[in-house]
Amino acid sequence: MKTRFAPSPTGHLHIGGARTAIFAWLQAKANNGKFLLRFEDTDKERSKKEYVDSIINSLKWLGIEPDEKPLFQSDRINRHKEIALDLHKKGLAYSCNVSSERLEEVRKIQQQNKQQPRYDGFSRDLNLPHEEGNVLRFKMPLDGITSFEDKILKKISINNKELDDFIILRSDGSPTYNFCAAIDDLDMQITNVIRGDDHLTNTLKQINILKAMNSELPEYAHLPMVLSSSGKRLSKREGALDILEYKKMGYLKEAMVNYLIKLGWSFKEQEIFSESDLIEHFDIKNVNSSAAKFSQELLDFYNNHYLKESNLEELFVYINGNFSLSEKFMRNDKKFEIVDLMREGSKNISNLVDELTFFYEDPDISDELMKNIQIDKSLLDSFKEELKEVDFKDKLLIGVFIDSFLTKNNMKFPLLGKPLRLILTGKSNAPSISDLLYLIGKESCINRIDNYLNS
Ligand code: GLU
């Protein structure tokens, strides 16, 4: 089996493209096959080296490496032209010099008659010699149907009458997209074409090219779109972002891969998949035939899962290497325990790093926050005095002290917990009070309480 991913380097890799790449890669890996990469870069104006590099880096981040050197469509133009001219020689394509005015006239009449606008085959049987300035058109079969069994969408067919004799070589001699793609898949010996369902019509054209070349057809699998959570096109806020932006925000590769494959694929009730699970179970035919919907919550859920599951020391090194932790934090001898605690409630690493500040810096207690702190100052003062005597080596002892303080003062936990959390962290949702006291440390906690009492 040989699959390929064929991006046009006219932009960064987004969620939809990344999913296509993963599915094509996994289909090859699950079948001991090869996965290839082809840049469809014939649009010189819009294709950029910057995007080639960015796509390669994105794939690398996701753990996808092609098994052969990437191929650039633009390097193969001579081969495409040669085949187009050969098809002409064999009578499978024809030269056409119909003026744009005539094409326009025909189109108008077709529109008036409520027909699908298409080339009317004027030059089809004129046997014109091919010369510069003419286009080469492919001789589509005039009757019958073109059909194939899509691995996901099942039977797809079209009446050949609906397909027009499309141009394979433009008047400037450049080959067209559908023609190049078909020839490249053939030359790369691709056995399984996996791509977005926006290419369905292209597939029907490409099949006819391959048939004219007497080639066996690859198997096709067309992936339904990924839509926004409200069923519209993806927007910048939802998925239409360079996938590497997610890396920058601190989404882990494992989470992103797990999330992407779940956009349409499932295996029993399983939610969490390691790479080896995927290679064992993936089969493109189990991809859902209806559109998948982007969900930020689900992506956050997977990321939180992998943040919690990953090896703490490795995660720490990764965080420090990619998100530069402050020197003050790095000097904290409880830094591993702090990250371990904070990853519990984090959806991504930037969010986690932001939340580390209060472990090494006294929080800014704004006036707004001040208003929310409601506690009897003399009670807080006695809490502080007693806290000075508590052994901070063991978190459990801190918990026991808090319980006994509450009982002695006949208080419910929130009356102490809520204001204390604000005083210690400046935030209303932060970890448990005993975790906070233990990890911020006795001295800083006493200072912060004093700051409040003296304010
Ligand atoms: N270059 C096409 C795209 O970026 C993909 C074509 C294909 O996979 O055949 O949508």
Side-chain angles (χ1 to χ4, degrees):
M1 181 178 294
K2 253 191 190 178
T3 67
R4 89 303 191 267
F5 177 52
S8 309
T10 53
H12 296 288
L13 190 66
H14 294 172
I15 293 275
R19 182 190 66 156
T20 306
I22 290 198
F23 283 177
W25 173 76
L26 270 177
Q27 184 67 2
K29 297 298 132 184
N31 291 281
N32 260 322
K34 281 192 170 176
F35 167 78
L36 308 187
L37 182 58
R38 172 172 86 228
F39 285 102
E40 303 204 316
D41 59 341
T42 47
D43 182 343
K44 284 279 158 229
E45 303 258 291
R46 293 173 59 225
S47 300
K48 300 227 157 56
K49 165 92 170 61
E50 169 201 345
Y51 297 132
V52 169
D53 294 342
S54 151
I55 292 170
I56 291 179
N57 287 337
S58 302
L59 294 176
K60 212 180 255 174
W61 175 51
L62 297 170
I64 302 178
E65 299 258 7
D67 293 306
E68 287 171 16
K69 231 172 96 200
L71 188 136
F72 289 82
Q73 199 158 58
S74 59
D75 290 343
R76 295 177 33 83
I77 296 221
N78 288 338
R79 165 84 179 145
H80 301 135
K81 278 189 194 168
E82 183 188 299
I83 296 190
L85 294 172
D86 194 48
L87 286 179
H88 178 231
K89 216 187 283 166
K90 291 184 175 139
L92 298 164
Y94 59 94
S95 194
C96 167
N97 59 4
V98 169
S99 66
S100 48
E101 289 79 20
R102 186 181 180 281
L103 289 176
E104 192 46 43
E105 238 169 72
V106 171
R107 192 196 317 270
K108 263 196 206 142
I109 297 173
Q110 287 168 336
Q111 274 167 341
Q112 277 163 9
N113 296 340
K114 307 239 172 323
Q115 288 167 330
Q116 177 83 1
R118 56 199 285 275
Y119 177 66
D120 65 351
F122 181 81
S123 316
R124 187 172 167 116
D125 298 315
L126 297 183
N127 281 328
L128 297 175
H130 188 57
E131 51 195 47
E132 235 184 80
N134 287 7
V135 298
L136 267 192
R137 288 185 179 271
F138 180 68
K139 251 189 198 170
M140 203 50 98
L142 291 176
D143 35 39
I145 56 164
T146 299
S147 70
F148 66 98
E149 188 69 22
D150 189 272
K151 287 270 160 217
I152 300 169
L153 305 175
K154 308 301 174 213
K155 186 142 185 114
I156 302 289
S157 61
I158 193 167
N159 220 314
N160 286 338
K161 284 198 180 69
E162 320 239 337
L163 296 169
D164 65 359
D165 290 347
F166 66 95
I167 296 174
I168 56 176
L169 219 52
R170 298 184 188 90
S171 56
D172 65 0
S174 61
T176 56
Y177 167 71
N178 273 308
F179 184 65
C180 297
I183 301 304
D184 289 347
D185 282 337
L186 174 64
D187 285 351
M188 290 163 84
Q189 299 177 326
I190 299 302
T191 60
N192 292 67
V193 170
I194 295 168
R195 60 182 166 204
D197 66 2
D198 48 332
H199 286 282
L200 265 181
T201 320
N202 292 338
T203 299
L204 295 162
K205 293 181 180 173
Q206 292 173 21
I207 285 179
N208 280 289
I209 297 278
L210 293 172
K211 280 187 180 164
M213 310 265 314
N214 277 329
S215 143
E216 255 182 64
L217 299 182
E219 287 188 351
Y220 292 96
H222 289 86
L223 300 167
M225 307 259 286
V226 182
L227 298 175
S228 72
S229 51
S230 56
K232 305 218 176 73
R233 265 176 79 95
L234 287 180
S235 63
K236 277 250 177 308
R237 204 173 55 80
E238 285 193 315
L241 275 186
D242 174 2
I243 199 103
L244 289 174
E245 289 297 322
Y246 287 99
K247 180 181 182 211
K248 281 192 208 143
M249 284 186 257
Y251 287 87
L252 297 176
K253 164 221 160 175
E254 293 78 6
M256 188 48 99
V257 169
N258 203 142
Y259 174 69
L260 289 172
I261 59 108
K262 289 293 288 175
L263 279 174
W265 180 77
S266 55
F267 176 74
K268 298 185 179 159
E269 301 289 295
Q270 196 169 330
E271 286 295 334
I272 303 294
F273 292 89
S274 66
E275 190 174 301
S276 56
D277 278 345
L278 288 172
I279 292 175
E280 188 180 336
H281 300 304
F282 187 79
D283 192 337
I284 197 79
K285 74 177 195 316
N286 296 332
V287 169
N288 199 318
S289 60
S290 45
K293 280 196 181 162
F294 180 84
S295 158
Q296 185 63 48
E297 291 74 34
L298 197 57
L299 176 58
D300 292 344
F301 161 80
Y302 281 120
N303 206 40
N304 175 256
H305 169 85
Y306 285 99
L307 282 172
K308 289 187 296 199
E309 289 296 302
S310 48
N311 171 292
L312 181 60
E313 266 159 52
E314 283 170 18
L315 178 67
F316 194 92
V317 170
Y318 179 77
I319 296 178
N320 194 33
N322 293 279
F323 293 82
S324 51
L325 294 167
S326 80
E327 275 176 38
K328 265 193 196 160
F329 183 73
M330 289 304 281
R331 283 198 296 272
N332 190 319
D333 54 9
K334 293 208 180 85
K335 56 183 179 290
F336 287 106
E337 286 166 272
I338 293 174
V339 168
D340 193 22
L341 172 73
M342 295 310 282
R343 65 178 170 169
E344 283 296 316
S346 297
K347 50 185 184 199
N348 60 50
I349 298 171
S350 346
N351 165 259
L352 187 155
V353 170
D354 286 348
E355 297 283 313
L356 296 179
T357 328
F358 58 74
F359 287 101
Y360 56 87
E361 239 161 46
D362 291 349
D364 252 348
I365 312 254
S366 62
D367 293 346
E368 183 61 28
L369 221 59
M370 250 341 224
K371 274 191 245 148
N372 290 329
I373 302 176
Q374 281 166 5
I375 188 163
D376 178 58
K377 284 196 173 182
S378 65
L379 185 81
L380 184 62
D381 193 51
S382 48
F383 176 80
K384 183 196 74 180
E385 288 309 317
E386 290 182 38
L387 192 64
K388 285 181 180 167
E389 307 309 317
V390 177
D391 182 354
F392 263 55
K393 280 205 194 66
D394 188 343
K395 197 168 72 181
L396 277 181
L397 295 177
I398 302 177
V400 170
F401 158 69
I402 293 176
D403 283 346
S404 73
F405 184 85
L406 292 172
T407 317
K408 201 166 69 189
N409 292 284
N410 198 17
M411 278 172 96
K412 287 237 158 58
F413 176 77
L415 284 178
L416 173 72
K418 247 176 109 182
L420 195 55
R421 184 172 284 120
L422 285 168
I423 291 164
L424 294 176
T425 69
K427 292 174 191 282
S428 51
N429 39 19
S432 82
I433 292 296
S434 45
D435 278 327
L436 285 176
L437 290 167
Y438 172 68
L439 291 173
I440 293 172
K442 190 190 277 187
E443 202 186 314
S444 296
C445 288
I446 306 270
N447 271 339
R448 291 180 192 185
I449 296 174
D450 269 337
N451 286 346
Y452 170 74
L453 290 173
N454 300 330
S455 62

